[in-house]
Amino acid sequence: ALRIVRGEADALAEHCGAWYELVLAELLFADPTRKRKDLEGLVDTAADCYADGGAGPLDDALKCVMKDDPKGALDHVHAALGPRHWLLPHLDDLLRRAGQVSPRRVPTAGVDDSHLYITEYALGLAATR
């Protein structure tokens, strides 16, 4: 336990079951003053330590969040949860209100992505009734 509190890399890796656990452990015990802009290297290194490397779409969304790429996170959430999931339009709305993403036109739909997310979600709700 003392090795973990001291932030020893091998002890942290030994007790973490996933790449994101290792990132959090590194931030808490080894480098608590690391800046958000410096997370990209840590995220990539932690993902490389595990066999699956965080290969799922939700893992990719989390990596985008940690690398300060909100639009990439939205794309991966869309891929992971599907177009009719409630999280996507709400997350998009929150990010827009915070000024973190701007509208992106979807050529195949003829609208911006925000309208597309809301429409797909509404269609999903209508289909369940």
Side-chain angles (χ1 to χ4, degrees), residues 19-20 23 36 39-40 43 62-68:
W19 68 269
Y20 49 85
V23 169
R36 185 175 71 171
L39 282 181
E40 188 167 347
V43 168
L62 189 54
K63 287 177 190 175
C64 286
V65 168
M66 289 182 182
K67 293 178 181 181
D68 205 16

Side-chain angles (χ1 to χ4, degrees), residues 92-105:
D92 181 69
D93 181 53
L94 287 172
L95 290 171
R96 282 183 200 283
R97 289 174 189 253
Q100 297 299 309
V101 295
S102 56
R104 183 173 56 175
R105 190 136 183 94

